[in-house]
Amino acid sequence: RLRLDLSYDGSGFHGWSRQPGGLRTVQQVLEDALGLLLTQPGPLTVAGRTDAGVHASGQVAHLDLPPGEWLAAPAVKA
């Protein structure tokens, strides 16, 4: 299980949850980014959700990964 502690400015998002019609959401952006690093990213589970335009600080989400998936991910340089 990979835990993510998140903070973000929600101004450019239509809330946390993926939306039909391709609206930009926090979940969609994070899952797409994780898909660049992991071979089997899976869905994120979040503790709480936000509405459109709402900022977050200290929001927690997690992702369940198959054994060894995180260790096989390429190193990311900031």
Side-chain angles (χ1 to χ4, degrees):
R1 181 164 283 179
L2 176 64
R3 174 185 164 144
L4 303 171
D5 293 352
L6 308 167
S7 295
Y8 53 86
D9 178 334
S11 299
F13 296 99
H14 292 271
W16 167 265
S17 298
R18 282 188 179 266
Q19 299 291 321
L23 295 174
R24 186 173 186 250
T25 67
V26 178
Q27 181 181 20
Q28 173 253 314
V29 168
L30 288 173
E31 287 178 353
D32 289 353
L34 287 167
L36 298 173
L37 298 172
L38 305 170
T39 58
Q40 299 176 26
L44 286 169
T45 301
V46 67
R49 300 180 341 163
T50 57
D51 291 327
V54 175
H55 312 314
S57 177
Q59 188 174 31
V60 177
H62 79 266
L63 172 65
D64 290 323
L65 301 172
E69 175 74 13
W70 182 248
L71 296 175
V76 177
K77 296 183 180 183

